[in-house]
């Protein structure tokens, strides 16, 4: 089942197209990354599915149902920078959020514990670090125990420790079964946290898939002999083998992380196959991302 299904969603501001005929499915239980450069349409897309921006055209459904007040109540979101009363404590600020959302205050302690603010819950918000402020904002979005949590650039402006804390928190929240939709322009953030992703560029969807498949750290080897048909039957038995495809003069072999060309050469020699060509393709995550963007230049 999909938590969110978007069909032909479109948003224009005069002559500017912010989101262009976007169709996208977000699986339930996933940590879904909306990835793309600044200005790619990520925040506008989230604003439309949250009902704060009116689409020019197109539709979307939450849990197979059209948007409604009831459905929006089971979606927690942070689209802007954390905004709380600076002189009030975390506890007092969350009490006010409970009144606005018409939910019980009974979850305040549980939420503060989850986001790691127990012990600082009675200190003024203005004394918090940026990372603590962001964690309190996430806690605020969780007060109504939503089924979906939407985060727009959740690590923006944080130092490395703050980034690591938010990443750990997102993973912990996901373990409870919630679907998390995370917008970011940082490939590293999406690769380390998300299970699924989509890339937007100039308001258009240009790529979607599983993070592990698209941005994994697999090893790619090119191996060639005079008659490739003699080589192919042995490859699937090579330790770490994932898949292969026959190119013009070589076979491209995708293997597990840590595999090296010397191991493949030894494996083939033991089977009396002597290679004429053997090379390793090195490609880091940034290069893969840039290649995807370049294909849609």
């Amino acid at each position: 089942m999909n938590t969110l299904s978007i069909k032909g969603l479109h948003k224009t501001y005069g002559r500017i197209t912010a989101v262009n005929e976007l169709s996208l499915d977000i699986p339930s239980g996933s940590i879904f990354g909306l990835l793309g450069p600044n200005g790619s349409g990520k925040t506008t897309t989230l604003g439309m599915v949250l009902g704060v921006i009116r689409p020019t055209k197109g539709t979307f459904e939450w849990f197979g149902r059209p948007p409604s007040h009831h459905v929006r109540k089971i979606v927690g979101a942070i689209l802007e920078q954390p905004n709380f009363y600076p002189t009030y404590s975390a506890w007092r600020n969350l009490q006010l959020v409970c009144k606005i959302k018409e939910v019980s205050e009974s979850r305040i302690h549980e939420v503060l514990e989850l986001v790691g603010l127990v012990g600082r819950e009675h200190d003024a918000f203005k004394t918090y670090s940026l990372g603590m402020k962001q964690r309190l904002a996430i806690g605020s979005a969780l007060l109504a125990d939503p089924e979906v949590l939407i985060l727009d650039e959740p690590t923006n402006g944080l130092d490395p420790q703050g980034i690591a804390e938010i990443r750990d928190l997102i993973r912990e929240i996901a373990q409870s079964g919630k679907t998390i939709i995370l917008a970011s322009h940082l490939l590293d953030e999406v690769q380390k946290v998300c299970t699924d992703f989509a890339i937007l560029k100039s308001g258009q969807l240009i790529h979607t898939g599983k993070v592990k498949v698209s941005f994994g750290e697999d090893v790619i080897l090119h191996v060639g002999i005079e008659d490739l048909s003699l080589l192919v039957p042995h490859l699937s038995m090579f330790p770490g083998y994932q898949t292969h495809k026959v190119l013009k003069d070589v076979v491209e072999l995708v293997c597990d992380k840590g595999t090296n060309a010397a191991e493949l050469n030894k494996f083939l020699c033991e089977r009396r196959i002597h290679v004429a060509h053997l090379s390793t393709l090195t490609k880091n995550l940034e290069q893969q991302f840039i290649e995807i963007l370049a294909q849609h230049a």
Side-chain angles (χ1 to χ4, degrees):
M1 179 181 177
N2 292 319
T3 288
L4 175 63
S5 293
I6 298 171
K7 296 180 182 178
L9 207 58
H10 195 83
K11 181 62 181 179
T12 57
Y13 296 97
R15 291 181 294 177
I16 298 173
T17 300
V19 176
N20 191 0
E21 303 287 349
L22 176 64
S23 294
L24 183 65
D25 291 323
I26 296 180
S28 296
S30 64
I31 307 178
F32 196 99
L34 272 182
L35 182 63
N38 290 329
S40 60
K42 303 185 300 293
T43 299
T44 302
T45 297
L46 295 182
M48 286 190 287
V49 300
L50 285 170
V52 297
I53 297 176
R54 185 184 296 275
T56 303
K57 62 179 179 178
T59 62
F60 61 91
E61 293 182 340
W62 287 103
F63 305 98
R65 292 173 286 172
S68 65
H69 177 68
H70 171 72
V71 170
R72 283 194 291 269
K73 287 179 70 174
I74 58 176
V75 178
I78 306 171
L79 286 187
E80 305 292 341
Q81 290 295 318
N83 187 19
F84 296 98
Y85 287 101
T87 59
Y88 285 8
S89 67
W91 190 282
R92 178 61 178 147
N93 270 298
L94 292 186
Q95 283 182 315
L96 294 175
V97 174
C98 286
K99 289 182 179 179
I100 294 169
K101 294 187 175 183
E102 299 180 340
V103 297
S104 170
E105 295 182 10
S106 61
R107 275 181 51 81
I108 291 179
H109 179 77
E110 179 184 346
V111 161
L112 287 170
E113 194 168 40
L114 175 63
V115 299
L117 290 176
V118 171
R120 293 293 305 273
E121 66 267 39
H122 298 301
D123 295 338
F125 177 75
K126 65 181 180 181
T127 67
Y128 283 9
S129 67
L130 186 57
M132 293 171 67
K133 290 175 179 177
Q134 189 68 6
R135 282 187 276 138
L136 181 61
I138 293 173
S140 172
L142 292 171
L143 279 173
D145 197 17
E147 296 183 37
V148 187
L149 180 62
I150 294 179
L151 304 172
D152 188 14
E153 304 281 1
T155 62
N156 200 23
L158 300 184
D159 60 22
Q161 181 180 346
I163 291 172
E165 289 173 352
I166 295 299
R167 283 174 177 163
D168 289 342
L169 177 57
I170 290 171
R171 293 189 190 103
E172 187 175 353
I173 294 169
Q175 288 176 358
S176 69
K178 298 184 189 301
T179 301
I180 298 176
I181 303 172
L182 183 156
S184 178
H185 66 280
L186 302 174
L187 171 61
D188 186 57
E189 181 172 64
V190 170
Q191 193 267 337
K192 287 183 176 178
V193 175
C194 297
T195 58
D196 303 76
F197 76 106
I199 299 177
L200 301 184
K201 182 182 180 182
S202 301
Q204 289 187 305
L205 175 67
I206 63 171
H207 191 86
T208 186
K210 295 283 185 182
V211 168
K212 187 175 181 181
V213 174
S214 299
F215 296 121
E217 298 180 20
D218 300 331
V219 175
I220 302 174
L221 302 173
H222 277 185
V223 56
I225 62 173
E226 187 173 343
D227 186 352
L228 294 180
S229 66
L230 299 176
L231 173 65
V232 171
H234 298 273
L235 295 178
S236 62
M237 295 180 283
F238 177 56
Y241 168 87
Q242 291 187 18
T243 186
H244 75 273
K245 61 182 176 181
V246 179
L247 304 179
K248 183 179 179 181
D249 300 313
V250 298
V251 175
E252 183 172 280
L253 184 64
V254 180
C255 302
D256 294 341
K257 178 183 177 182
T259 307
N260 61 59
E263 291 171 345
L264 178 60
N265 189 43
K266 179 181 178 183
F267 171 84
L268 293 174
C269 284
E270 290 171 350
R271 286 156 177 77
R272 301 183 183 280
I273 298 173
H274 300 285
V275 302
H277 173 87
L278 181 58
S279 62
T280 304
L281 272 67
T282 57
K283 187 188 295 182
N284 61 30
L285 299 175
E286 287 76 14
Q287 287 173 321
Q288 295 177 53
F289 180 51
I290 290 169
E291 283 185 10
I292 291 172
L293 291 177
Q295 291 169 8
H296 298 82

